[in-house]
Amino acid sequence: MCVKVSNWTFDAKQADHELFAWTARSVRVVSRSLHQVRVVGIHLTAARAHSYFYPRHVFGPGSMKLPLSPGWVFRDITALGGADFRDLRGWRYHAPGTPAEGFRVDGHMDEAERAFDASGDWFLLTRGEAAIMMVTRMSENLRRGLRIKLVYVDDADRRAPPEAVPGSVPLVGYRGLDVERLPADRYQFQLRIFVLSPYQAGAERRVLAQLDAPLTVEVTGEGGR
């Protein structure tokens, strides 16, 4: 996670993180954490995250409270969140706006990858029958106020301090723009990570359809009557 505020840049190492509860059960592991960022003495944001770890699925709902609009103090705030992989050469990146075959991860950005500029709430990394899918969901007030761009960087020479080892092969995630325009409020968000194996083309559409389908309950009498 990285936040750029006007001319300052703050990463996850400079924020305050607290794991204040966790439990492990036979089906899942649950953790609760608190994340805070202070900019020049101002409490800019606080987020509570709950992470549920299943064998093939991670579910991370969270909330963020802004006691005042950041725009009262700062002109421009951009937030970046994602996963920076060390070496997924040979995998392919799929997302809204990519070619049908996706982008091939090889440690070098070609012209099409450099020109990639798309919005979306999901992306997929595939290799043969293996696939990892990441999906985000945001509350209505957060969707209205925040512009989300997909991030794809495939650069074996990229340096991103405080990381000691260079290289993003690839860096995948989201960039949030216009953070300074958010009014004071509480916002909700979700991150889901799915392991799709064995993967077949189109499986991501089924996952998205299931997430967006309303929850239904069916009740029958004893004996199915």
Side-chain angles (χ1 to χ4, degrees):
M1 180 71 179
C2 178
V3 179
K4 184 175 182 180
V5 182
S6 299
N7 294 325
W8 297 292
T9 299
F10 301 87
D11 55 42
K13 188 176 180 180
Q14 294 164 290
D16 297 324
H17 311 280
E18 179 186 358
L19 177 65
F20 61 89
W22 73 275
T23 182
R25 294 289 186 261
S26 57
V27 176
R28 66 182 183 179
V29 175
V30 182
S31 68
R32 297 178 180 178
S33 55
L34 177 65
H35 309 271
Q36 303 182 68
V37 178
R38 296 181 183 273
V39 182
V40 293
I42 298 174
H43 189 188
L44 178 64
T45 182
R48 289 181 180 269
H50 297 71
S51 300
Y52 300 84
F53 298 88
Y54 299 89
R56 298 165 61 90
H57 176 206
V58 178
F59 175 43
S63 65
M64 175 179 67
K65 180 181 179 181
L66 293 178
L68 55 84
S69 173
W72 284 95
V73 182
F74 303 104
R75 296 193 314 271
D76 180 37
I77 303 175
T78 299
L80 170 66
D84 195 355
F85 291 96
R86 182 70 58 84
D87 188 358
L88 290 187
R89 286 176 173 85
W91 289 64
R92 288 191 174 274
Y93 171 83
H94 303 264
T98 63
E101 68 277 11
F103 293 142
R104 185 175 184 274
V105 179
D106 58 9
H108 302 281
M109 295 284 282
D110 61 26
E111 184 176 347
E113 292 171 341
R114 288 193 297 270
F116 179 63
D117 182 19
S119 299
D121 59 8
W122 67 272
F123 58 87
L124 182 71
L125 290 164
T126 68
R127 185 175 184 176
E129 293 188 345
I132 302 173
M133 183 178 185
M134 298 189 186
V135 184
T136 61
R137 288 291 188 266
M138 298 185 296
S139 57
E140 180 62 29
N141 59 347
L142 191 55
R143 285 199 305 270
R144 288 197 308 265
L146 197 65
R147 287 191 296 141
I148 296 293
K149 290 287 187 178
L150 291 165
V151 173
Y152 175 76
V153 179
D154 183 19
D155 185 356
D157 298 322
R158 178 178 180 270
R159 294 183 177 274
E163 293 178 345
V165 179
S168 294
V169 190
L171 166 65
V172 290
Y174 307 93
R175 179 175 287 109
L177 307 176
D178 302 331
V179 179
E180 72 281 357
R181 298 183 183 181
L182 291 175
D185 205 345
R186 181 174 293 277
Y187 302 90
Q188 283 75 42
F189 54 88
Q190 295 180 3
L191 171 65
R192 294 179 182 265
I193 304 174
F194 297 93
V195 176
L196 307 180
S197 178
Y199 171 75
Q200 294 181 342
E204 62 275 15
R205 292 192 293 271
R206 292 193 295 272
V207 171
L208 294 171
Q210 291 170 358
L211 289 178
D212 294 333
L215 182 64
T216 60
V217 178
E218 182 177 344
V219 179
T220 60
E222 184 178 355
R225 292 177 296 177

